[in-house]
Amino acid sequence: MIPGTVFHVSVSTPTLRLGVVINPTAGRGRGRRAGPAVLDALAACGHDVWDLSGSTADLGLEHARRAVAEGLDVLVVVGGDGMIHLGLQAVAETGTPLGIVAVGTGNDFASKLGLPTGDTEPCLEALLTALAAGPTTARAVDAIRVTGAGLTCRLVANEPVRWVAGAVSAGLDAAVNERANAMVRPRGSSRYVVAAFREVAAWDAWDYRLTFEHVCGDEQSIAALTSLAGFTDLGPEADGDGRRLLWDSRGALVTAANGSQIGGGIPVAPSAQIDDGLLDIVIATDVGRKGAIRLFPMLLAGKHLGHKKVRVVRAKAIDLEPAERDGQPRIPSAFGDGEHLGALPLRAEVRPGALLVLTP
């Protein structure tokens, strides 16, 4: 195990080896207050509890990966979507469940799981209930595996890979994320909304070349998708599982969603499910600044899918590339779960059941 603070209380309940990684800055300081309470409560239940938190997020991830490799029963993260993102890098496709104490600001993925968010007590109660049922009862959900030449990566088995729980953003949503991360005020999820209005005021659109693989849908739905300018139907997949589509166009919004929310509750892909083996990929063509001013409030209300220049492609994978036309602005860097992923080109593919998560 990783050296750290060890708690052990001898009681009759089965003992589990639990690693805990805490983000003390999550939820405007809630993580700092919640961390000791989580450690104490888990130890009081008779578990061997290891505080794997590091002075940096990368060090915490290094501790978590090593502990998982050495047979950790459950990895628990205390924080928001960023901590789920960190934990996912350690447990994806390992069979080690992730426990979540969702005391962050956004908590989009925890909300999709039906977990309590915000206050420590209900979050901790849900975790303890799930632990009492045992790690073997963990729920299997999908995750997004991201690879590509532009990826800012942490090496997994010498292969550049990042895992994303909620959504990969590569358009206006990514530009908003980048701006929000650079802002000091306002604090909390409202910062994302303010950043969005500022991005819309400085409107731009970008040239994309997106290849969708294993697209799900009947002939009518495929025809509806390809009615949007820039689409080409490349025909059925070689294995007969769906179709391949190409979108080569100037666009505004590109989000490959596993979960339904981003930015602290914005319903970018309202129908997305985390266990259906598909991504809901939301795209919008260049709507112009005036169009963006009208579209953004629709996005906040989850009504943007009715816009004539918005489409949702349900597919198993997408290759995201810049079209690289001369004189066009650089496409924003991509983000996943609110964390920086890197520059395009990138590939995002859903991996069914890649994440085991404890839910009560």
Side-chain angles (χ1 to χ4, degrees), residues 20 116 149 211 303 317:
V20 182
T211 304
K303 297 180 178 179

Side-chain angles (χ1 to χ4, degrees), residues 60 77 79 109 118 121 135 201 205 218 228 237-238 241 258-260 277 284 308-310 317:
V77 292
F109 196 68
E121 186 174 345
D218 56 22
L228 188 68
E237 296 283 358
D241 181 17
N258 182 38
S260 55
K308 65 181 181 179
K309 292 189 176 182
V310 176

Side-chain angles (χ1 to χ4, degrees), residues 70-118:
E70 293 178 2
L72 196 70
D73 290 314
V74 176
L75 178 66
V76 176
V77 292
V78 181
D81 287 321
M83 285 305 293
I84 293 175
H85 184 82
L86 182 148
L88 179 57
Q89 311 312 307
V91 302
E93 294 188 334
T94 66
T96 301
L98 187 69
I100 300 168
V101 180
V103 293
T105 301
N107 304 312
D108 288 311
F109 196 68
S111 296
K112 185 65 177 178
L113 288 166
L115 293 172
T117 63

Side-chain angles (χ1 to χ4, degrees), residues 64 206 243 262:
W206 304 275
R243 304 187 72 81
I262 60 173

Side-chain angles (χ1 to χ4, degrees), residues 25 39 49 52 76 92 96 111 218 245 247 304-305 352 357:
T25 66
L39 293 170
V49 184
L52 304 177
V76 176
T96 301
S111 296
D218 56 22
L245 301 179
W247 191 59
H304 56 294
L305 302 188
V357 61

Side-chain angles (χ1 to χ4, degrees), residues 125-156:
E125 182 179 352
L127 175 63
L128 294 176
T129 301
L131 285 170
T136 58
T137 64
R139 178 184 177 187
V141 299
D142 305 339
I144 307 172
R145 186 176 186 269
V146 182
T147 56
L151 192 66
T152 302
C153 66
R154 299 180 174 98
L155 293 181
V156 180

